[in-house]
Amino acid sequence: MARAPVVPDRVRWAVDHLDPPADARLLEVGCGPGAAAELLGARLVRGRLLAVDRSPTAVRRTAARNAVHVEAGRLEVVESSLADLERPAGSVDAAFAVDVNVFWLGPAVRELEVLLELVRAGGWLHLVYGAGPAGADRVVDGVTRSLRLAGVLDVAVSSGGSALAVCGRRPEAVPG
C-alpha cells in the first residue's frame, strides 16, 4: 500500500498564512515536490496556481502529484528559473516561495523585478522559511533588505511554529 506524500508543517503553515480566496491567481516559486500545490489545488476552486521550478525533476514530481489539479485547469507547472519567467504583467494576485534562498542570500534584483512585474499592484509577496530561532534574524534581515532594495517598503514579518514569513505588498508604481 502506497503512503500518501508528506506535507511539511512549514508548507501547511505557508498555505494557511497565504489564505487565498477560491478565485485567486497565484504564483509559487520553487514548487519542489508539489506539496503546496496539492494544498492550494483543493482551495482554488475557481482560481489558478502557476508553479515554477528550475528543476525538471521537481516539475515532473509536482505535475504527477497534482495531476487532478492540472487536468482541472487549476494548476500549471512550468520549468523555468524565476529570473527567466515570462508571463503577462499583473497576471497574479500574489506570489509565494517556501525556502527559496535567493531572496535572503543576495539582493535577488532580477528575481524581484520579475515578481513585481507579475504581481498585480497591491498584491503580496510571501517569502516563507523554515527557520529555527538562531537563523531567523539573518533570514528576516536578508529578505527585508532585498525587498526594500526592490522598492517594496510595506514589509511585515509573521511566524508560526518553526516557520516565518517575510511579506511585502507590491507598490502601486514599481521603481525602474
Side-chain angles (χ1 to χ4, degrees), residues 17-166:
H17 188 268
L18 186 61
D19 192 24
D23 62 349
R25 301 167 302 148
L26 304 175
L27 167 64
E28 179 184 11
V29 178
C31 59
E38 178 182 349
L39 297 175
L40 287 165
R43 289 183 181 209
L44 297 175
V45 294
R46 294 178 312 282
R48 192 164 161 77
L49 172 63
L50 172 61
V52 176
D53 204 298
R54 64 185 179 182
S55 162
T57 301
V59 167
R60 282 192 303 274
R61 289 176 68 192
T62 297
R65 180 177 184 163
N66 294 286
V68 67
H69 301 311
V70 172
E71 291 168 15
R74 290 186 297 271
L75 173 63
E76 179 183 1
V77 187
V78 173
E79 181 183 335
S80 177
S81 69
L82 177 57
D84 295 330
L85 184 63
E86 293 183 12
R87 289 290 196 244
S91 60
V92 297
D93 299 315
F96 75 100
V98 178
D99 291 333
V100 175
N101 291 336
V102 69
F103 300 110
W104 74 274
L105 291 177
V109 173
R110 177 65 187 142
E111 292 81 3
L112 286 166
E113 283 176 356
V114 169
L115 285 179
L116 291 175
E117 176 74 15
L118 296 177
V119 174
R120 68 170 171 75
W124 284 90
L125 310 175
H126 293 258
L127 305 174
V128 178
Y129 296 88
D137 288 342
R138 191 173 63 183
V139 170
V140 168
D141 291 347
V143 175
T144 300
R145 188 178 321 101
S146 291
L147 287 170
R148 292 209 166 117
L149 284 172
V152 177
L153 302 178
D154 188 358
V155 177
V157 178
S158 303
S159 63
S162 62
L164 61 90
V166 181

Side-chain angles (χ1 to χ4, degrees), residues 6-21:
V6 174
V7 177
D9 289 341
R10 71 186 175 284
V11 173
R12 283 189 195 284
W13 184 83
V15 169
D16 289 344
H17 188 268
L18 186 61
D19 192 24

